[in-house]
Amino acid sequence: MVKKYKADNGVVIITLKEGVQYKPEETETKPATRRKTTEEIFIVVEDMPMFPGGLSALKSYIYDNVKYPEKARREGIEGKVRVDFVINAKGDVEDMSVSQSTYAGFDDAAMEVFKDMPRWEPGKQRGHPVKVKLNIPVEFKLGGE
């Protein structure tokens, strides 16, 4: 479901994407052993990560904290940025990146909101907290609908 929120700084549309392919993250354990371990990053888990207050609170948080770039506003530019990120086992946001963008000027504005995001309730698989990859598109629009 997509909802629009209007504000003086633009309109933000937020949706959660489903059906993304699983991609494990490999990390070195110790340089001397030359052994690699894989800490799984899930896309779907039994208990998905939850922003404090739920999805509507997440939308409000983004709406309240996103800053429409002044240059884009002056030039009448609208667009969309898809932010990928991981909620780790502690509930912190990490490994943020922009996977799609229609205007590079929106990338930093979208990433800034996620950088300062409060701790989430972590996702759980079989009762244990795990890393979960999510992505949220943020649409920047000027004026009415």
Side-chain angles (χ1 to χ4, degrees):
M1 186 164 105
V2 177
K3 290 191 177 181
K4 294 182 181 182
Y5 293 90
K6 288 191 240 178
D8 292 336
N9 63 349
V11 175
V12 179
I13 299 174
I14 305 155
T15 60
L16 298 177
K17 183 177 178 188
E18 297 179 26
V20 179
Q21 294 290 333
Y22 162 76
K23 188 175 180 183
E25 176 185 310
E26 292 187 349
T27 57
E28 293 266 347
T29 54
K30 293 180 185 175
T33 64
R34 295 185 198 193
R35 199 176 70 207
K36 288 189 176 186
T37 61
T38 302
E39 185 177 351
E40 287 185 84
I41 299 176
F42 294 86
I43 301 301
V44 178
V45 291
E46 293 166 347
D47 296 313
M48 290 299 284
M50 180 68 66
F51 185 81
L55 186 57
S56 62
L58 172 62
K59 292 176 182 182
S60 293
Y61 173 84
I62 293 172
Y63 162 76
D64 292 341
N65 291 285
V66 72
K67 292 179 177 78
Y68 210 105
E70 192 54 43
K71 180 179 179 184
R73 182 186 305 281
R74 277 193 319 267
E75 296 178 11
I77 299 171
E78 298 180 341
K80 186 193 252 181
V81 175
R82 181 174 301 279
V83 179
D84 293 344
F85 59 100
V86 172
I87 300 298
N88 68 21
K90 293 179 182 177
D92 296 320
V93 175
E94 63 182 27
D95 299 333
M96 295 177 305
S97 64
V98 171
S99 60
Q100 292 179 336
S101 178
T102 57
Y103 174 67
F106 293 135
D107 297 1
D108 288 339
M111 294 282 285
E112 194 67 28
V113 173
F114 287 84
K115 181 184 86 168
D116 296 328
M117 199 169 269
R119 184 173 276 182
W120 292 48
E121 178 68 32
K124 293 181 182 173
Q125 186 68 15
R126 296 185 178 156
H128 299 287
V130 293
K131 289 184 170 187
V132 180
K133 184 172 186 172
L134 301 171
N135 64 58
I136 295 179
V138 179
E139 187 170 331
F140 292 84
K141 281 193 156 202
L142 294 167
E145 296 182 36

